[in-house]
Amino acid sequence: MPDLFLAMMKEEWRIHSTIFGSLGFALFPAVVAFFAFLGSLTLPLFRDALPYAAVALLAQILFLLMGVMVGSFGLMGREFMNRRFGQASLVAYASRSLPVSERRIFAAFLVKDTVYYILLYVLPFAVGFAAATPFISLDPAWGPLAFVSLTLAFLMGLSIVCFLSTLYAHSVRLLTGTVVVLGVLALAALRLGAITVSTVLPPYAFFLDPGPGPLALALLLILVPSAVSVLFVTVEYPDRTKRFNNSLDPLAERLRALGSAHFIAKDALDLLRSEGGAGKVIFSFLLPIGLIWVCLQVLIRFIPGIDPLVVFAVLLGVISATIYNWLTEFDSFTSYAFLPVEVSEVIDSKLKSYALLGLLPVAVLALAATSGGAGAFLPALAAYLSVSAYTLAVTVYLTGLHPNVMLYSAGVFLRYLLAISPALLLLIFASILDPAYAFGSLLLIVPAALLLSRGRTKWQAWEMPGY
Amino acid sequence: MIEATELTKNYGNVTAVNRVSFSVAEGELFGLLGPNGSGKTTMIRMLTGQIPPTSGSARVMGLDAADDPIGVRGLVGIIPEQETPPSFLTAEEYLHFVASIRNLDSIDERCDRWFDLLEFGDKRDVLCKDLSRGTRQKLMFSQAFLHEPKLALIDEPLINLDPIMQRTVKDFLQEYVHNGGTVFFSTHILEIAEEICDRIGIIHNGRLLHSGPIEDLTGSGRHLESFFLDLVRGDTGA
């Protein structure tokens, strides 16, 4: 097991470091720490509007979500082996050729991802925060405490998704049944008044009041689902033959008016046929979005005057840009390099696919509007559309057809954060003054168009060097 | 059909192809032979505009491969070294996808012809990721000839195919050339070259050591294998 773990760690390092250099990747945690440090320094400025307890809750939810997203992206049960290992010669594929059980590989993979992401995100974040505590008159002990509690929150998200994805890998009905039972139990507990933020999120309770109770509950919620996931892991290798009628042409026919119809149709089939299918959307998009909406409902108690729908729209715009990551996940320009296809044509087709899938977030926004804040729907819609377009343009400019990999380069990630954060913060604060200011976000369309235009040229040169 | 002049490709300090010049006439079946890592794939990638040369030039069907790579790829058929059809399209969908990129008509007829010739019609509705390497090779072969190009550039054409299918493909290539088509292919399997090529080139360490009709060898009673080994070993020892 240690050998397997170390081999996987080396492999993960090399996957990233060979793409943008060891230093570029090694500096990624430093960038996270730097931004956590800067962000922490600003906390006293907003203390009246945003009490520390709310910030702590926000951070806990952020890392819980990160755990959910990491888990859903990397460990979708069947998707886990098929997508991550089925098409690449990775160590985790070794159970085919070496005397290593799938369970051991899965366990090693889980431990590797845990250590890897804690080193990549949680530790640097906690270090950045700890380094800022002397400057903002906070107890330095909050640094280590933040590290422990955020690690617990991250692991909770990861283990819950692992558990659900293992159920999914066995049977969709089993997953549905479990979710329904848990939902009924949660509703019953809510009625009985037994649900509080602290009981739902024990790491948060542990941060506020470090003691054995919340710690034990958090560990229980991490270890039990993880153990069940490892014990009952099921792996279906990609040698199961799947057969489909030709859906490409009928789909392309319907999309003909958009141009690049066969490329868009291919994107759709990639998404639908890759393991996880709709489950992928639920786990890595709708679930975090739902949690953000719930979180905002809590936050508005702390920040009077804030319009949750506009803030939600802004965050929705950022998260929806990750749809582009799905669209590029199964594509590589090497598949087109021997055909008369320009890089820009592939990028353009991805943008069209993105625009079509962008209807899903709009529907989510409309749904959110019906549950409160319908009056701010139009400015919220403007904010969503412009932030989504701008974040997408920044992603395309910085990462081309490789967002799933390139964003882990420290330099690229830093530029991404510097390009996105000021615009978002300005937009959120402006909308606190008056939701109508969110219409100002439409100005972002101009730099978005510029970035997309330059990104197409830049990545044409990158994919076809010398041309 | 192909005119390579002093083609050179450097990757950092490594010279993958070193001042190689040769030409391939219409109706020829030209085999580029060489050991692993000798520069064969780099050569095909330069000829098809997938990578630009460091120096020198290549004209393919009248177009400069570096100046108009898309034009070249539009005209020729290419089978790359690694078969990379999209994972989540079926074999049939992939051919339709390529046909749409090349703006072809009568797509079903074109596809059926290849499914029949290479005997993989029973796999037409299987996702590419679930196809065996041999079937994927057949699929890549089909996509390269779907638009009936006048020139095909093929990297290791038979490497994943069983002996029966190798025979089918060899027969097809010979018939294709007989009907006026031109083939440039790379391989390190000498028997294939000896059997079907009109002319061969031998490349080693990026340098073209020999270029000439296969008849020159067979006519003089020499076997390609011994000629190749003498040439390459001599170059290695030089």
mmCIF file of all heavy atoms in Angstrom, chain B residues 197-235:
data_model
loop_
_atom_site.group_PDB
_atom_site.id
_atom_site.type_symbol
_atom_site.label_atom_id
_atom_site.label_comp_id
_atom_site.label_asym_id
_atom_site.label_seq_id
_atom_site.Cartn_x
_atom_site.Cartn_y
_atom_site.Cartn_z
ATOM 1 N N CYS B 197 6.337 -2.434 -51.896
ATOM 2 C CA CYS B 197 6.824 -1.093 -52.276
ATOM 3 C C CYS B 197 7.422 -1.067 -53.687
ATOM 4 O O CYS B 197 8.027 -2.023 -54.139
ATOM 5 C CB CYS B 197 7.906 -0.640 -51.298
ATOM 6 S SG CYS B 197 7.216 -0.120 -49.747
ATOM 7 N N ASP B 198 7.257 0.106 -54.324
ATOM 8 C CA ASP B 198 7.972 0.350 -55.575
ATOM 9 C C ASP B 198 9.363 0.892 -55.255
ATOM 10 O O ASP B 198 10.345 0.515 -55.856
ATOM 11 C CB ASP B 198 7.230 1.397 -56.431
ATOM 12 C CG ASP B 198 5.825 0.944 -56.758
ATOM 13 O OD1 ASP B 198 5.681 -0.229 -57.113
ATOM 14 O OD2 ASP B 198 4.891 1.753 -56.635
ATOM 15 N N ARG B 199 9.358 1.820 -54.297
ATOM 16 C CA ARG B 199 10.629 2.420 -53.908
ATOM 17 C C ARG B 199 10.683 2.484 -52.386
ATOM 18 O O ARG B 199 9.653 2.556 -51.714
ATOM 19 C CB ARG B 199 10.740 3.838 -54.473
ATOM 20 C CG ARG B 199 11.186 3.832 -55.925
ATOM 21 C CD ARG B 199 11.826 5.160 -56.361
ATOM 22 N NE ARG B 199 11.051 6.313 -55.947
ATOM 23 C CZ ARG B 199 11.596 7.380 -55.360
ATOM 24 N NH1 ARG B 199 12.894 7.422 -55.108
ATOM 25 N NH2 ARG B 199 10.843 8.411 -55.034
ATOM 26 N N ILE B 200 11.911 2.509 -51.881
ATOM 27 C CA ILE B 200 12.069 2.624 -50.430
ATOM 28 C C ILE B 200 13.075 3.719 -50.091
ATOM 29 O O ILE B 200 13.928 4.080 -50.909
ATOM 30 C CB ILE B 200 12.556 1.303 -49.784
ATOM 31 C CG1 ILE B 200 13.857 0.846 -50.444
ATOM 32 C CG2 ILE B 200 11.504 0.222 -49.845
ATOM 33 C CD1 ILE B 200 14.650 -0.129 -49.587
ATOM 34 N N GLY B 201 12.940 4.219 -48.887
ATOM 35 C CA GLY B 201 13.953 5.099 -48.321
ATOM 36 C C GLY B 201 14.338 4.506 -46.978
ATOM 37 O O GLY B 201 13.472 3.967 -46.283
ATOM 38 N N ILE B 202 15.597 4.568 -46.628
ATOM 39 C CA ILE B 202 16.012 4.052 -45.308
ATOM 40 C C ILE B 202 16.559 5.218 -44.499
ATOM 41 O O ILE B 202 17.486 5.918 -44.943
ATOM 42 C CB ILE B 202 17.076 2.937 -45.460
ATOM 43 C CG1 ILE B 202 16.440 1.748 -46.192
ATOM 44 C CG2 ILE B 202 17.588 2.498 -44.089
ATOM 45 C CD1 ILE B 202 17.373 0.584 -46.443
ATOM 46 N N ILE B 203 15.943 5.411 -43.355
ATOM 47 C CA ILE B 203 16.307 6.549 -42.514
ATOM 48 C C ILE B 203 16.868 6.028 -41.192
ATOM 49 O O ILE B 203 16.379 5.036 -40.639
ATOM 50 C CB ILE B 203 15.083 7.485 -42.300
ATOM 51 C CG1 ILE B 203 15.470 8.783 -41.622
ATOM 52 C CG2 ILE B 203 13.985 6.792 -41.521
ATOM 53 C CD1 ILE B 203 14.355 9.841 -41.624
ATOM 54 N N HIS B 204 17.900 6.659 -40.722
ATOM 55 C CA HIS B 204 18.505 6.265 -39.449
ATOM 56 C C HIS B 204 19.086 7.512 -38.805
ATOM 57 O O HIS B 204 19.766 8.291 -39.470
ATOM 58 C CB HIS B 204 19.596 5.210 -39.682
ATOM 59 C CG HIS B 204 20.218 4.708 -38.409
ATOM 60 N ND1 HIS B 204 21.569 4.720 -38.174
ATOM 61 C CD2 HIS B 204 19.648 4.175 -37.304
ATOM 62 C CE1 HIS B 204 21.811 4.211 -36.976
ATOM 63 N NE2 HIS B 204 20.661 3.877 -36.423
ATOM 64 N N ASN B 205 18.800 7.669 -37.519
ATOM 65 C CA ASN B 205 19.264 8.867 -36.783
ATOM 66 C C ASN B 205 18.908 10.154 -37.523
ATOM 67 O O ASN B 205 19.682 11.114 -37.522
ATOM 68 C CB ASN B 205 20.775 8.805 -36.546
ATOM 69 C CG ASN B 205 21.134 7.762 -35.508
ATOM 70 O OD1 ASN B 205 20.296 7.395 -34.671
ATOM 71 N ND2 ASN B 205 22.348 7.252 -35.559
ATOM 72 N N GLY B 206 17.769 10.139 -38.182
ATOM 73 C CA GLY B 206 17.291 11.342 -38.857
ATOM 74 C C GLY B 206 17.875 11.579 -40.237
ATOM 75 O O GLY B 206 17.488 12.522 -40.918
ATOM 76 N N ARG B 207 18.808 10.746 -40.655
ATOM 77 C CA ARG B 207 19.421 10.952 -41.964
ATOM 78 C C ARG B 207 18.940 9.889 -42.942
ATOM 79 O O ARG B 207 18.805 8.711 -42.579
ATOM 80 C CB ARG B 207 20.946 10.902 -41.854
ATOM 81 C CG ARG B 207 21.513 12.104 -41.097
ATOM 82 C CD ARG B 207 23.039 12.141 -41.090
ATOM 83 N NE ARG B 207 23.597 10.928 -40.508
ATOM 84 C CZ ARG B 207 24.363 10.083 -41.178
ATOM 85 N NH1 ARG B 207 24.659 10.323 -42.454
ATOM 86 N NH2 ARG B 207 24.850 9.006 -40.599
ATOM 87 N N LEU B 208 18.698 10.299 -44.170
ATOM 88 C CA LEU B 208 18.278 9.347 -45.198
ATOM 89 C C LEU B 208 19.526 8.662 -45.746
ATOM 90 O O LEU B 208 20.345 9.281 -46.427
ATOM 91 C CB LEU B 208 17.516 10.080 -46.308
ATOM 92 C CG LEU B 208 16.776 9.205 -47.313
ATOM 93 C CD1 LEU B 208 15.623 8.469 -46.637
ATOM 94 C CD2 LEU B 208 16.233 10.051 -48.463
ATOM 95 N N LEU B 209 19.656 7.361 -45.444
ATOM 96 C CA LEU B 209 20.868 6.649 -45.842
ATOM 97 C C LEU B 209 20.760 6.098 -47.253
ATOM 98 O O LEU B 209 21.783 5.876 -47.920
ATOM 99 C CB LEU B 209 21.134 5.485 -44.867
ATOM 100 C CG LEU B 209 21.282 5.854 -43.388
ATOM 101 C CD1 LEU B 209 21.578 4.608 -42.571
ATOM 102 C CD2 LEU B 209 22.394 6.883 -43.192
ATOM 103 N N HIS B 210 19.537 5.826 -47.673
ATOM 104 C CA HIS B 210 19.362 5.216 -49.001
ATOM 105 C C HIS B 210 17.985 5.563 -49.543
ATOM 106 O O HIS B 210 17.022 5.676 -48.801
ATOM 107 C CB HIS B 210 19.493 3.689 -48.873
ATOM 108 C CG HIS B 210 19.082 2.959 -50.126
ATOM 109 N ND1 HIS B 210 19.932 2.749 -51.187
ATOM 110 C CD2 HIS B 210 17.881 2.413 -50.490
ATOM 111 C CE1 HIS B 210 19.284 2.088 -52.135
ATOM 112 N NE2 HIS B 210 18.045 1.885 -51.735
ATOM 113 N N SER B 211 17.903 5.736 -50.836
ATOM 114 C CA SER B 211 16.602 5.912 -51.485
ATOM 115 C C SER B 211 16.704 5.335 -52.892
ATOM 116 O O SER B 211 17.644 5.650 -53.625
ATOM 117 C CB SER B 211 16.240 7.402 -51.546
ATOM 118 O OG SER B 211 15.027 7.546 -52.246
ATOM 119 N N GLY B 212 15.769 4.457 -53.223
ATOM 120 C CA GLY B 212 15.838 3.884 -54.564
ATOM 121 C C GLY B 212 14.783 2.816 -54.774
ATOM 122 O O GLY B 212 14.063 2.436 -53.834
ATOM 123 N N PRO B 213 14.665 2.346 -56.017
ATOM 124 C CA PRO B 213 13.658 1.309 -56.312
ATOM 125 C C PRO B 213 13.981 0.009 -55.597
ATOM 126 O O PRO B 213 15.151 -0.349 -55.461
ATOM 127 C CB PRO B 213 13.760 1.135 -57.822
ATOM 128 C CG PRO B 213 14.523 2.312 -58.322
ATOM 129 C CD PRO B 213 15.398 2.759 -57.221
ATOM 130 N N ILE B 214 12.946 -0.682 -55.164
ATOM 131 C CA ILE B 214 13.142 -1.954 -54.481
ATOM 132 C C ILE B 214 13.732 -2.981 -55.451
ATOM 133 O O ILE B 214 14.457 -3.882 -55.032
ATOM 134 C CB ILE B 214 11.802 -2.444 -53.872
ATOM 135 C CG1 ILE B 214 12.033 -3.578 -52.870
ATOM 136 C CG2 ILE B 214 10.835 -2.893 -54.925
ATOM 137 C CD1 ILE B 214 12.354 -3.122 -51.503
ATOM 138 N N GLU B 215 13.422 -2.789 -56.723
ATOM 139 C CA GLU B 215 13.930 -3.718 -57.743
ATOM 140 C C GLU B 215 15.455 -3.762 -57.775
ATOM 141 O O GLU B 215 16.056 -4.785 -58.094
ATOM 142 C CB GLU B 215 13.415 -3.321 -59.127
ATOM 143 C CG GLU B 215 12.010 -3.790 -59.398
ATOM 144 C CD GLU B 215 11.504 -3.265 -60.734
ATOM 145 O OE1 GLU B 215 12.278 -2.593 -61.439
ATOM 146 O OE2 GLU B 215 10.336 -3.518 -61.050
ATOM 147 N N ASP B 216 16.081 -2.623 -57.449
ATOM 148 C CA ASP B 216 17.544 -2.582 -57.461
ATOM 149 C C ASP B 216 18.126 -3.616 -56.505
ATOM 150 O O ASP B 216 19.202 -4.171 -56.754
ATOM 151 C CB ASP B 216 18.041 -1.192 -57.057
ATOM 152 C CG ASP B 216 17.808 -0.181 -58.175
ATOM 153 O OD1 ASP B 216 17.278 -0.590 -59.227
ATOM 154 O OD2 ASP B 216 18.133 1.001 -57.977
ATOM 155 N N LEU B 217 17.395 -3.824 -55.419
ATOM 156 C CA LEU B 217 17.875 -4.792 -54.431
ATOM 157 C C LEU B 217 17.538 -6.205 -54.854
ATOM 158 O O LEU B 217 18.405 -7.077 -54.895
ATOM 159 C CB LEU B 217 17.231 -4.518 -53.064
ATOM 160 C CG LEU B 217 17.618 -3.222 -52.386
ATOM 161 C CD1 LEU B 217 16.847 -3.059 -51.101
ATOM 162 C CD2 LEU B 217 19.120 -3.228 -52.099
ATOM 163 N N THR B 218 16.248 -6.407 -55.123
ATOM 164 C CA THR B 218 15.803 -7.758 -55.453
ATOM 165 C C THR B 218 16.467 -8.223 -56.749
ATOM 166 O O THR B 218 16.817 -9.391 -56.901
ATOM 167 C CB THR B 218 14.274 -7.819 -55.593
ATOM 168 O OG1 THR B 218 13.852 -6.765 -56.460
ATOM 169 C CG2 THR B 218 13.590 -7.653 -54.255
ATOM 170 N N GLY B 219 16.690 -7.302 -57.703
ATOM 171 C CA GLY B 219 17.324 -7.642 -58.977
ATOM 172 C C GLY B 219 18.759 -8.108 -58.786
ATOM 173 O O GLY B 219 19.256 -8.960 -59.531
ATOM 174 N N SER B 220 19.415 -7.517 -57.787
ATOM 175 C CA SER B 220 20.806 -7.903 -57.559
ATOM 176 C C SER B 220 20.916 -9.104 -56.627
ATOM 177 O O SER B 220 22.021 -9.458 -56.215
ATOM 178 C CB SER B 220 21.575 -6.722 -56.971
ATOM 179 O OG SER B 220 21.025 -6.395 -55.705
ATOM 180 N N GLY B 221 19.744 -9.666 -56.279
ATOM 181 C CA GLY B 221 19.750 -10.874 -55.458
ATOM 182 C C GLY B 221 19.918 -10.633 -53.973
ATOM 183 O O GLY B 221 20.065 -11.572 -53.198
ATOM 184 N N ARG B 222 19.918 -9.376 -53.570
ATOM 185 C CA ARG B 222 20.062 -9.101 -52.141
ATOM 186 C C ARG B 222 18.709 -9.078 -51.467
ATOM 187 O O ARG B 222 17.705 -8.692 -52.061
ATOM 188 C CB ARG B 222 20.736 -7.747 -51.934
ATOM 189 C CG ARG B 222 22.210 -7.750 -52.269
ATOM 190 C CD ARG B 222 22.905 -6.582 -51.611
ATOM 191 N NE ARG B 222 23.046 -6.815 -50.162
ATOM 192 C CZ ARG B 222 23.691 -5.990 -49.345
ATOM 193 N NH1 ARG B 222 24.225 -4.890 -49.818
ATOM 194 N NH2 ARG B 222 23.783 -6.246 -48.056
ATOM 195 N N HIS B 223 18.682 -9.474 -50.200
ATOM 196 C CA HIS B 223 17.459 -9.351 -49.417
ATOM 197 C C HIS B 223 17.439 -7.985 -48.726
ATOM 198 O O HIS B 223 18.488 -7.481 -48.330
ATOM 199 C CB HIS B 223 17.390 -10.447 -48.360
ATOM 200 C CG HIS B 223 16.948 -11.755 -48.927
ATOM 201 N ND1 HIS B 223 15.686 -11.965 -49.420
ATOM 202 C CD2 HIS B 223 17.618 -12.923 -49.089
ATOM 203 C CE1 HIS B 223 15.577 -13.208 -49.862
ATOM 204 N NE2 HIS B 223 16.749 -13.813 -49.678
ATOM 205 N N LEU B 224 16.270 -7.452 -48.635
ATOM 206 C CA LEU B 224 16.141 -6.133 -48.009
ATOM 207 C C LEU B 224 16.687 -6.155 -46.582
ATOM 208 O O LEU B 224 17.333 -5.216 -46.131
ATOM 209 C CB LEU B 224 14.665 -5.691 -48.033
ATOM 210 C CG LEU B 224 14.348 -4.360 -47.362
ATOM 211 C CD1 LEU B 224 15.151 -3.224 -48.002
ATOM 212 C CD2 LEU B 224 12.863 -4.033 -47.453
ATOM 213 N N GLU B 225 16.419 -7.260 -45.879
ATOM 214 C CA GLU B 225 16.819 -7.316 -44.471
ATOM 215 C C GLU B 225 18.338 -7.153 -44.313
ATOM 216 O O GLU B 225 18.813 -6.348 -43.508
ATOM 217 C CB GLU B 225 16.365 -8.633 -43.837
ATOM 218 C CG GLU B 225 16.671 -8.680 -42.334
ATOM 219 C CD GLU B 225 16.263 -9.990 -41.693
ATOM 220 O OE1 GLU B 225 15.886 -10.922 -42.430
ATOM 221 O OE2 GLU B 225 16.322 -10.077 -40.467
ATOM 222 N N SER B 226 19.096 -7.909 -45.118
ATOM 223 C CA SER B 226 20.549 -7.830 -44.962
ATOM 224 C C SER B 226 21.059 -6.458 -45.415
ATOM 225 O O SER B 226 21.947 -5.865 -44.790
ATOM 226 C CB SER B 226 21.228 -8.956 -45.750
ATOM 227 O OG SER B 226 20.986 -8.776 -47.132
ATOM 228 N N PHE B 227 20.445 -5.928 -46.470
ATOM 229 C CA PHE B 227 20.834 -4.591 -46.952
ATOM 230 C C PHE B 227 20.576 -3.546 -45.862
ATOM 231 O O PHE B 227 21.435 -2.709 -45.559
ATOM 232 C CB PHE B 227 20.031 -4.262 -48.218
ATOM 233 C CG PHE B 227 20.327 -2.911 -48.790
ATOM 234 C CD1 PHE B 227 21.519 -2.675 -49.478
ATOM 235 C CD2 PHE B 227 19.423 -1.870 -48.657
ATOM 236 C CE1 PHE B 227 21.800 -1.417 -50.008
ATOM 237 C CE2 PHE B 227 19.689 -0.620 -49.171
ATOM 238 C CZ PHE B 227 20.873 -0.398 -49.852
ATOM 239 N N PHE B 228 19.401 -3.630 -45.266
ATOM 240 C CA PHE B 228 18.984 -2.683 -44.227
ATOM 241 C C PHE B 228 19.939 -2.778 -43.031
ATOM 242 O O PHE B 228 20.438 -1.770 -42.525
ATOM 243 C CB PHE B 228 17.539 -3.006 -43.808
ATOM 244 C CG PHE B 228 17.005 -2.153 -42.686
ATOM 245 C CD1 PHE B 228 16.394 -0.940 -42.950
ATOM 246 C CD2 PHE B 228 17.110 -2.555 -41.360
ATOM 247 C CE1 PHE B 228 15.897 -0.158 -41.928
ATOM 248 C CE2 PHE B 228 16.608 -1.785 -40.337
ATOM 249 C CZ PHE B 228 16.000 -0.582 -40.622
ATOM 250 N N LEU B 229 20.183 -4.012 -42.589
ATOM 251 C CA LEU B 229 21.014 -4.189 -41.402
ATOM 252 C C LEU B 229 22.441 -3.706 -41.666
ATOM 253 O O LEU B 229 23.042 -3.042 -40.816
ATOM 254 C CB LEU B 229 21.013 -5.656 -40.973
ATOM 255 C CG LEU B 229 19.679 -6.150 -40.376
ATOM 256 C CD1 LEU B 229 19.752 -7.639 -40.076
ATOM 257 C CD2 LEU B 229 19.313 -5.374 -39.106
ATOM 258 N N ASP B 230 22.967 -4.020 -42.817
ATOM 259 C CA ASP B 230 24.321 -3.564 -43.135
ATOM 260 C C ASP B 230 24.406 -2.032 -43.117
ATOM 261 O O ASP B 230 25.334 -1.449 -42.551
ATOM 262 C CB ASP B 230 24.740 -4.059 -44.534
ATOM 263 C CG ASP B 230 25.035 -5.553 -44.520
ATOM 264 O OD1 ASP B 230 25.133 -6.121 -43.406
ATOM 265 O OD2 ASP B 230 25.135 -6.143 -45.608
ATOM 266 N N LEU B 231 23.388 -1.431 -43.716
ATOM 267 C CA LEU B 231 23.361 0.034 -43.828
ATOM 268 C C LEU B 231 23.268 0.698 -42.460
ATOM 269 O O LEU B 231 24.041 1.608 -42.130
ATOM 270 C CB LEU B 231 22.173 0.419 -44.713
ATOM 271 C CG LEU B 231 22.244 1.721 -45.484
ATOM 272 C CD1 LEU B 231 23.449 1.730 -46.415
ATOM 273 C CD2 LEU B 231 20.966 1.907 -46.283
ATOM 274 N N VAL B 232 22.301 0.204 -41.673
ATOM 275 C CA VAL B 232 22.052 0.828 -40.367
ATOM 276 C C VAL B 232 23.215 0.551 -39.410
ATOM 277 O O VAL B 232 23.677 1.448 -38.695
ATOM 278 C CB VAL B 232 20.715 0.325 -39.783
ATOM 279 C CG1 VAL B 232 20.563 0.756 -38.331
ATOM 280 C CG2 VAL B 232 19.554 0.865 -40.605
ATOM 281 N N ARG B 233 23.703 -0.709 -39.398
ATOM 282 C CA ARG B 233 24.817 -1.018 -38.497
ATOM 283 C C ARG B 233 26.075 -0.253 -38.914
ATOM 284 O O ARG B 233 26.838 0.213 -38.077
ATOM 285 C CB ARG B 233 25.087 -2.527 -38.501
ATOM 286 C CG ARG B 233 24.084 -3.279 -37.639
ATOM 287 C CD ARG B 233 24.255 -4.766 -37.762
ATOM 288 N NE ARG B 233 23.289 -5.464 -36.945
ATOM 289 C CZ ARG B 233 22.964 -6.736 -37.117
ATOM 290 N NH1 ARG B 233 23.507 -7.447 -38.081
ATOM 291 N NH2 ARG B 233 22.085 -7.309 -36.314
ATOM 292 N N GLY B 234 26.245 -0.143 -40.226
ATOM 293 C CA GLY B 234 27.392 0.618 -40.718
ATOM 294 C C GLY B 234 27.305 2.069 -40.283
ATOM 295 O O GLY B 234 28.299 2.678 -39.893
ATOM 296 N N ASP B 235 26.096 2.625 -40.324
ATOM 297 C CA ASP B 235 25.893 4.022 -39.923
ATOM 298 C C ASP B 235 26.107 4.178 -38.420
ATOM 299 O O ASP B 235 26.662 5.174 -37.965
ATOM 300 C CB ASP B 235 24.473 4.453 -40.299
ATOM 301 C CG ASP B 235 24.248 5.922 -40.027
ATOM 302 O OD1 ASP B 235 25.012 6.738 -40.566
ATOM 303 O OD2 ASP B 235 23.325 6.245 -39.260
#
